[in-house]
Each structure stands twice: as C-alpha cells, then as structure tokens.
Amino acid sequence: MAEAAAALGQFDFAGDDHVVPFQVEGLDVRGRAVQLGPMLDAILERHHYPAPVARLLAEVVVLTVLLGTSLKFDGKFTVQTKGDGPVDLLVADFSTPENVRAYARFDQALLNKAIEAGETEPEQLLGRGVLAFTIDQGKFGQPYQGIVELDGTSLEDIAGVYFRQSEQIPTRVRLAAAELFDRDDAGKPRHRWRAGGLVAQFLPEAPERMRQPDLHGGDGDTVARPHGEDDAWTEARSLVETIDADELTDPLVGTERLLFRLFHERGVRVYEPRAVFDRCSCSRDKIKGVLKGFTAEEIEASQEDGEIAVTCEFCSTTYRFEPAELQPAE
C-alpha cells in the first residue's frame, strides 16, 4: 500500500529551501523559519569560498531569505555588510517572489592571519562597519534603507537592533550554518553546506503591549532603565533562545518539527511553505546595456584578445562581446 503524501502541518512537509510562515496565537507571535540545503550549497560551492567565509555568507543568505519573503509587493530586499575585517563585503538579495543570489569579498592574506590566530567568529571576520537593509519597490516607490552599526556582536543581535530601530517590533532572530560530510548514493564522500534560521515577532492587537526596554545609552550611561516587557513576549523570546544551532541545520530536524518542539504547549500553526531558488538576475542584455554606455576609449581599454569579457560576481557566468556589438548604430 502506497504511503500517503505529506500534508501541511506534518513533520518534514516543507523540506529544504522552503520558508515556513508560522503563528503562535497563545503568545501573539508570528514568524518564519527555514532550512537551506541544495540552494545554499550551489551558491557557496560556485565560488569555492574558504569555510569561515562560506559560513558567514550562509548566515547572511538565511537572514535575507527570512526577511525578503515577508515582502507584500514585487520588489527586492538586500542585506549588505561593509567592514574593515578580513571579509570586507557580504551581499545577498531576494527578488520576489523566490529568487536569491549572494556574494562575498575577502582579503586572503588577512583571512589567513585570522584563521591562524583563531579569530574566525563572524564579528571578528567582519570587523567594524555597517550592515544595511535595503527595500526596493521598483517603479512603485522610493527605496528604503536601514543601516545598523557592526559593533562586534553577532548578526543575530545586529538584526534585532535593526528591527528595534526601524520597525519598533519586538523581534528575535536565530541563524546557523554548518558543513556536512557524508556519502552520496554511490558511497562516495560528499561535502555539503546547510543553514537554517528563524525570525519571531511579537504582534499583539494592543500596540502598547509591544513596549520594550530602553536601549542602553552607551559608555557612561548609569540610568536605571525599566524593562516593561510583556510576559507573552518574554516567554516566546526565551523559547526561541533555547534553539541549538544544530537544530537549525540538522536535516533530520525539519522546520515543522523544530517549531513543534518550541511552541507545542502554546499551539503553533504553520502555513503553506514558500520555495526559494538560486537564481541570478544578470543577463547578456543587461550587461550589454551597461557596456554601451562606455566611451570608445573605455571599450578599447576593456578588450582582451579582441573581445570584452564580463563575469557576474554573483553567479560566475561570463558574457563575451565583440567590440562591434557595442558601437552605436549609424
């Protein structure tokens, strides 16, 4: 007798590369959770990033997917870091409804020194700088950008500061990435990347329940600050903080199973999962349009062996053009 197909709400229904929206009515919490597998692996292996860089970019991809899938309009959500550490640039963007791409830039010499010194935590690799969240609504609105300081804390904590400053919604983010070493169906050794994450937000009907403790004023601030946090959010946040990094990446702990572990006593409801894909937005026509804006001198300087080659930093696709293609029509 054939097994019945998995149904929404059953463990492991969503699978990898699907974002699962959820709601915990008893705690007035809504959120999204995801485990990334083949899609993330394709992005990272394409560039053969060193493991510390791949792990860091994986967390940024998870963060981008979790937040980008919340867009209610056609547009693009981008997460970008710029810092003075060995990994000076990370960028990932989500184009509605389902396309993801990402890229990391790093200084190999500085990275080698950091690895030798054992300084490979995300905050150490990024250094000081900024984390920018950009929402682009295309022709239907002006882009919005929120900027948060890279202050030596984790990406999870920095994302929380962003929500607090920009949306003023109590939010807890969890991120994790891991390498898996196993064997394929033929028994050959195999290396894969996985990552997972969860974002939970406190959205009660009464706005006054969303009050949060004041942010610390920095060095020299000794003023006592009242907590004033709602009990429901305190409980929800505490539950989310119990998540182990391995639970977010373990292929045997599906997204629904993790949500059940966290919130079953309060009654968690999951909704239709949304698939995400490794798809770049570059194209030959787009790049040709850019090159046509070059001057004759710039076109001449860009040639090598009688052609111009442009490689997309995101997907590593190389586009080749004959100089004659770029000349204005007579």
Side-chain angles (χ1 to χ4, degrees):
M1 181 176 178
E3 293 185 2
L8 182 62
Q10 292 183 349
F11 291 154
D12 306 322
F13 170 78
D16 288 341
D17 305 336
H18 286 75
V19 179
V20 178
F22 67 90
Q23 180 177 1
V24 186
E25 294 179 354
L27 297 175
D28 292 312
V29 165
R30 293 184 182 182
R32 290 170 301 283
V34 70
Q35 284 192 343
L36 299 180
M39 184 274 284
L40 176 71
D41 202 40
I43 290 175
L44 298 181
E45 291 299 325
R46 182 180 296 126
H47 292 279
H48 305 291
Y49 292 118
V53 179
R55 190 182 307 274
L56 189 56
L57 185 59
E59 289 193 7
V60 172
V61 171
V62 173
L63 180 60
T64 303
V65 166
L66 287 173
L67 304 187
T69 49
S70 69
L71 295 181
K72 306 300 183 185
F73 50 83
D74 290 336
K76 179 183 292 186
F77 180 82
T78 303
V79 175
Q80 180 173 321
T81 70
K82 287 187 177 180
D84 60 5
V87 183
D88 65 321
L89 175 69
L90 295 168
V91 58
D93 63 48
F94 175 87
S95 297
T96 57
E98 58 194 13
N99 299 337
V100 183
R101 62 179 190 169
Y103 170 73
R105 186 177 67 197
F106 61 96
D107 184 302
Q108 187 67 63
L110 292 178
L111 179 63
N112 291 342
K113 290 181 180 179
I115 293 174
E116 291 175 3
E119 299 175 349
T120 57
E121 292 300 314
E123 55 270 24
Q124 294 170 319
L125 295 177
L126 293 172
R128 296 283 175 168
V130 296
L131 175 63
F133 298 82
T134 305
I135 299 174
D136 186 352
Q137 302 181 59
K139 61 182 179 180
F140 298 106
Q142 293 295 321
Y144 165 80
Q145 186 173 73
I147 297 178
V148 186
E149 179 185 5
L150 292 174
D151 59 359
T153 57
S154 68
L155 286 174
E156 290 180 354
D157 292 336
I158 294 171
V161 172
Y162 162 74
F163 277 103
R164 186 165 188 169
Q165 292 180 349
S166 64
E167 299 188 18
Q168 299 177 347
I169 298 174
T171 302
R172 186 67 172 100
V173 177
R174 297 300 312 274
L175 306 169
E179 291 180 274
L180 264 65
F181 298 90
D182 58 8
R183 294 182 180 276
D184 60 20
D185 294 338
K188 296 181 179 179
R190 177 175 57 178
H191 167 264
R192 294 182 293 160
W193 281 99
R194 293 184 60 80
L198 178 146
V199 56
Q201 296 186 300
F202 185 49
L203 295 166
E205 291 185 6
E208 61 270 16
R209 292 181 59 200
M210 295 171 62
R211 65 188 184 278
Q212 299 181 80
D214 292 339
L215 289 171
H216 194 279
D219 294 341
D221 183 2
T222 59
V223 178
R225 299 175 180 272
H227 289 282
E229 187 173 79
D230 190 276
D231 289 344
W233 175 238
T234 298
E235 179 181 344
R237 180 173 50 78
S238 298
L239 289 171
V240 171
E241 288 172 356
T242 66
I243 300 174
D244 188 86
D246 291 343
E247 292 181 287
L248 290 170
T249 60
D250 190 340
L252 300 181
V253 181
T255 303
E256 292 93 346
R257 186 181 299 274
L258 175 60
L259 291 171
F260 179 80
R261 286 182 180 181
L262 288 176
F263 301 118
H264 67 278
E265 292 185 356
R266 287 292 192 167
V268 59
R269 177 181 299 176
V270 298
Y271 298 92
E272 196 70 31
R274 292 184 55 183
V276 291
F277 299 92
D278 163 35
R279 289 177 183 159
C280 190
S281 60
C282 73
S283 70
R284 181 178 180 83
D285 287 342
K286 286 183 179 179
I287 295 176
K288 185 175 181 179
V290 173
L291 293 176
K292 279 197 167 185
F294 283 20
T295 65
E297 291 77 12
E298 289 172 329
I299 291 176
E300 179 67 28
S302 301
Q303 293 182 47
E304 185 173 343
D305 296 329
E307 66 177 11
I308 297 175
V310 179
T311 300
C312 176
E313 291 182 330
F314 287 96
C315 67
S316 297
T317 300
T318 299
Y319 299 91
R320 302 182 184 279
F321 301 88
E322 297 291 334
E325 296 180 69
L326 309 176
Q327 300 300 325
E330 297 183 358

